[in-house]
Amino acid sequence: MAASLKRNSLYNLMGSLVPIVVSFVTVPLYLHLIGVDGYGVLAIVWLFLGYFGVFDLGLGTASANQFAKLSDHKEISSVFWSGIWTNLGLGIIGAGVLFFLGDYLFENLFKMSSAMHASVVGALPWLALAVPIITVSGIFSGLIDGRQNFLMLNALGVIGTFFLQVMPILT
């Protein structure tokens, strides 16, 4: 028990530290490539995506709790699919909100150049598409967390950080 606690704590620590190290590398690159204003807009977009994760309504965490308690495959499957379909529906609602109100929100809440605004508005369909993916991924994370597979959970978090922070630099 003590060995698994130490091991899982190390996994969680590394899963938190690696994204910080990635940020130390990528933020100066972003500032050089797209400037302070461009990075500010990118940070706002990331922030919006994080906030639209609220459409999960805590079901990812609640599912993790249930997955930790259950051992019967049928019950786990039932919780899993209920969570997936519910979060997909909630994510689609969130995507609709972002898609239809995003232009208004970005135009009236944030001061940015017309070129930056056009760039953000052009990305709105992609951002809206990300919302259901974010909400559904909460159930997958809940399953991995509830089954106490912290290595996989943190590895996926690091991979997600890579795609979120590194891939835009490479494209």
Side-chain angles (χ1 to χ4, degrees):
M1 178 71 172
S4 65
L5 179 62
K6 287 179 184 178
R7 184 179 61 244
N8 289 337
S9 296
L10 180 62
Y11 293 154
N12 289 335
L13 178 64
M14 294 307 294
S16 296
L17 289 178
V18 170
I20 292 171
V21 171
V22 171
S23 293
F24 278 131
V25 173
T26 58
V27 170
L29 290 172
Y30 276 115
L31 292 174
H32 176 73
L33 292 171
I34 61 176
V36 174
D37 292 341
Y39 185 74
V41 170
L42 183 60
I44 290 169
V45 167
W46 284 336
L47 182 71
F48 258 72
L49 285 179
Y51 280 131
F52 272 85
V54 76
F55 280 93
D56 171 78
L57 299 178
L59 290 176
T61 303
S63 295
N65 184 5
Q66 287 302 307
F67 293 135
K69 293 177 183 177
L70 299 174
S71 59
D72 180 57
H73 181 72
K74 277 184 120 173
E75 290 176 332
I76 292 171
S77 180
S78 176
V79 170
F80 176 80
W81 287 109
S82 296
I84 291 290
W85 289 114
T86 303
N87 272 14
L88 180 61
L90 293 169
I92 290 170
I93 292 169
V97 169
L98 181 59
F99 184 78
F100 292 111
L101 295 179
D103 185 23
Y104 173 81
L105 293 171
F106 280 106
E107 186 169 337
N108 293 299
L109 292 178
F110 305 105
K111 292 194 184 284
M112 60 181 78
S113 69
S114 58
M116 291 268 184
H117 181 263
S119 179
V120 170
V121 169
L124 277 176
W126 295 105
L127 296 173
L129 180 63
V131 174
I133 294 169
I134 290 168
T135 57
V136 167
S137 71
I139 300 300
F140 286 100
S141 295
L143 177 61
I144 296 167
D145 188 15
R147 303 317 293 168
Q148 297 184 5
N149 192 340
F150 297 111
L151 176 60
M152 180 185 287
L153 184 65
N154 285 288
L156 290 172
V158 167
I159 291 167
T161 297
F162 174 81
F163 280 109
L164 188 65
Q165 291 189 5
V166 176
M167 289 304 291
I169 291 174
L170 299 176
T171 58

